[in-house]
Amino acid sequence: MIGDEEIAIETTLNGKPLKTRVRARQHLADFLRQELELTGTHLGCEHGICGACTVLIDGRTARSCLTLAAQISGHAVETIEGLSDSGKLAELQAEFIARNAAQCGFCSSGLLLTAYEVVASGAQLSRSEIREVISGNMCRCTGYHAIVDAIQAVMTKGRC
Amino acid sequence: MKARNFHYIKPASLAHALRILANADGEAVPVAGGQSLLAGLNMRLSAPKLLVDIGDLDELRGQSRTADSVRLGALTRHADLLTSDLVAQDLPLLRTAAPHIGHLAIRNRGTLGGSLAYADPAAELPACAVALDASLVLGSLLGEREVRAEDFFKGLFETDLRPGELIVAVKFPIQPAGTRVAFAELSRRHGDFALVGLAVVASMQGDRLDKARPVYFGCADRAMFAPSVAAAITGLRPPFDDDSAFAPAIRQDLSPDDMPGLRADTRLHMATVLTGRVLNSLSERAAA
């Protein structure tokens, strides 16, 4: 019988070192939400389709439902909480608010992080390219138009 | 849902990983990006006893080129295929195919070795590996052996991997100058599984197709080389005005099953339309 095996991990979470133990089978989203009460990372489909659980691992977007908490040992994780507090998302958040691009808000943290990765890369994308980038993040309010507008506005200003 | 319980171990070296795999009686599954595996675990489609995290093993990284082949480490991420100069120069098929793999966040984590080992019949990279006649380098405690991609894929999620073996790298032969490649797929949504897809590598005699390797995916139990289509288009000059040159050959090579919401003949029609598009894009595409 396999018990709830615990794994020691050392990671950097939102810029701060974190040394703890995680259950082997616990995915990163549950670890963030249940153990650390960082509930800004949402959990929708839990099999990699909806994008609500997007976080940054080593600066790149990743599905936290398709990553084991144990796998982040030795890597840096950033969540919506850390990126909001640091002000890195301020511009995107302001543009989302200005256009009501966050309607029910469930997809917003994932969309903001996905948008952040491309905006921070300095890419200048067309509307159809932006749609392709966010194609892995589902908004069931279907408010994509305003979301694309908001991302494009930040991209045009050339800062994030 | 949540995954069933399992043991997890993160070996410090490739040798350590191979030892663990060898001693696991076939009950261990390697995990790297985990972008297909963890979805399957969460849905309880599979429940291995032990996950061996190979995601941080440096021995499985790296890209190198010799006179006759490009070697990509098993941990090459899909996103790397879009940014690697070596891939852009020598493996344009992989670069063309990569944007079709999942979504941005999936491509940031998923790996080449993982995609080949998982052997999803609708996956892009197995088809590219077969079309490019790649060889998979399989490591185990007994040493390394190489298997041609076409022989590696045995069926639905089935491969030639033996217990204790791990894909350590993939070798892609350098294509002769003037080789052309094309890739396309049809799916219901962007990033969704291909209902039918096609990767083609072809050499040209002047403006005529010489040796072509069409490999279909998403419409059989594995990425499948289509010999009748290859024979039918050899010697022809793209672009094709209609599908009469290859439509009968497609029906010889492919025999998809009826599925809820998608009849077999619909899928054959889609394969025919897609084949026309892909072959016509060969004539536009710059030489590899």
Side-chain angles (χ1 to χ4, degrees):
Chain A
M1 183 71 189
I2 305 171
D4 268 327
E5 188 174 86
E6 286 200 345
I7 312 290
I9 65 164
E10 281 185 56
T11 179
T12 306
L13 180 65
N14 291 326
K16 292 184 192 130
L18 174 71
K19 200 172 166 181
T20 185
R21 298 180 71 80
V22 299
R23 273 178 288 151
R25 67 166 171 155
Q26 188 168 49
H27 58 61
L28 179 56
D30 274 352
F31 172 67
L32 293 169
R33 291 175 57 83
Q34 295 175 5
E35 314 300 330
L36 306 179
E37 296 187 359
L38 294 172
T39 52
T41 299
H42 292 165
L43 202 49
C45 72
E46 218 167 0
H47 61 274
I49 303 297
C50 77
C53 70
T54 304
V55 298
L56 298 186
I57 301 179
D58 297 333
R60 312 288 296 268
T61 50
R63 303 277 201 246
S64 58
C65 76
L66 295 187
T67 308
L68 296 172
Q71 286 180 291
I72 64 167
S73 194
H75 298 276
V77 175
E78 289 168 281
T79 67
I80 184 74
E81 289 88 352
L83 288 162
S84 297
D85 292 348
S86 69
K88 287 179 178 170
L89 291 178
E91 200 78 25
L92 275 166
Q93 285 164 327
E95 295 293 346
F96 266 58
I97 292 163
R99 290 169 178 75
N100 197 25
Q103 294 182 52
C104 82
F106 194 85
C107 71
S108 303
S109 46
L111 271 160
L112 283 165
L113 265 61
T114 299
Y116 175 75
E117 182 179 4
V118 283
V119 174
S121 76
Q124 291 290 329
L125 305 182
S126 67
R127 291 186 71 82
S128 68
E129 288 168 330
I130 293 173
R131 282 185 175 271
E132 198 169 303
V133 164
I134 64 168
S135 66
N137 292 78
M138 291 190 182
C139 165
R140 292 297 80 168
C141 305
T142 69
Y144 294 109
H145 202 84
I147 294 168
V148 175
D149 285 345
I151 297 171
Q152 196 173 34
V154 180
M155 230 169 232
T156 309
K157 283 188 225 161
R159 61 174 189 270
C160 188
Chain B
M1 293 214 307
K2 311 294 177 191
R4 280 181 67 106
N5 257 327
F6 48 77
H7 295 293
Y8 169 96
I9 188 160
K10 192 170 188 173
S13 67
L14 177 58
H16 186 197
L18 294 177
R19 265 202 312 282
I20 295 166
L21 291 172
N23 294 327
D25 283 334
E27 303 270 14
V29 174
V31 58
Q35 299 302 285
S36 299
L37 179 64
L38 264 62
L41 292 182
N42 286 351
M43 292 191 280
R44 300 208 174 186
L45 298 174
S46 66
K49 284 199 177 144
L50 171 65
L51 288 197
V52 183
D53 186 354
I54 57 167
D56 287 329
L57 294 179
D58 285 336
E59 296 105 312
L60 302 179
R61 292 185 208 285
Q63 308 172 4
S64 59
R65 186 190 197 281
T66 62
D68 54 3
S69 71
V70 173
R71 180 185 165 113
L72 300 182
L75 286 181
T76 304
R77 296 191 194 274
H78 309 322
D80 298 336
L81 301 177
L82 291 164
T83 53
S84 158
D85 292 337
L86 188 60
V87 171
Q89 192 188 323
D90 290 319
L91 299 169
L93 181 64
L94 295 186
R95 194 186 166 90
T96 310
H100 294 274
I101 306 170
H103 305 285
L104 179 67
I106 305 283
R107 293 193 291 272
N108 282 342
R109 300 288 296 168
T111 65
L112 172 63
S115 173
L116 299 183
Y118 201 70
D120 189 315
E124 290 81 3
L125 293 178
C128 292
V130 174
L132 291 164
D133 199 18
S135 292
L136 285 75
V137 183
L138 310 181
S140 74
L141 280 189
L142 303 173
E144 286 188 352
R145 69 182 178 112
E146 289 189 16
V147 181
R148 285 182 61 213
E150 204 174 338
D151 303 324
F152 180 78
F153 299 104
K154 298 286 191 196
L156 195 66
F157 300 105
E158 241 184 276
T159 70
D160 195 44
L161 274 170
R162 299 170 190 158
E165 277 186 335
L166 182 70
I167 300 174
V168 296
V170 186
K171 283 169 149 177
F172 296 90
I174 302 277
Q175 304 296 322
T179 301
R180 296 188 181 187
V181 299
F183 182 98
E185 66 179 51
L186 296 172
S187 59
R188 291 204 194 276
R189 286 161 293 268
H190 185 99
D192 205 342
F193 292 105
L195 300 171
V196 53
L198 174 60
V200 178
V201 177
S203 57
M204 309 290 286
Q205 282 278 15
D207 56 357
R208 290 175 188 276
L209 288 166
D210 185 20
K211 294 191 192 80
R213 275 183 73 77
V215 177
Y216 290 87
F217 60 98
C219 50
D221 67 349
R222 73 195 86 169
M224 211 164 72
F225 171 61
S228 310
V229 176
I233 60 178
T234 297
L236 301 183
R237 185 189 292 135
F240 298 95
D241 293 331
D242 62 58
D243 58 24
S244 58
F246 49 80
I250 290 174
R251 284 167 191 270
Q252 280 179 358
D253 287 335
L254 301 181
S255 49
D257 294 324
D258 281 324
M259 276 174 37
L262 187 62
R263 290 202 318 263
D265 59 344
T266 308
R267 198 178 282 218
L268 282 171
H269 174 71
M270 292 165 73
T272 307
V273 171
L274 188 74
T275 304
R277 283 184 200 165
V278 170
L279 293 180
N280 287 351
S281 77
L282 275 180
S283 56
E284 299 152 14
R285 209 170 287 274

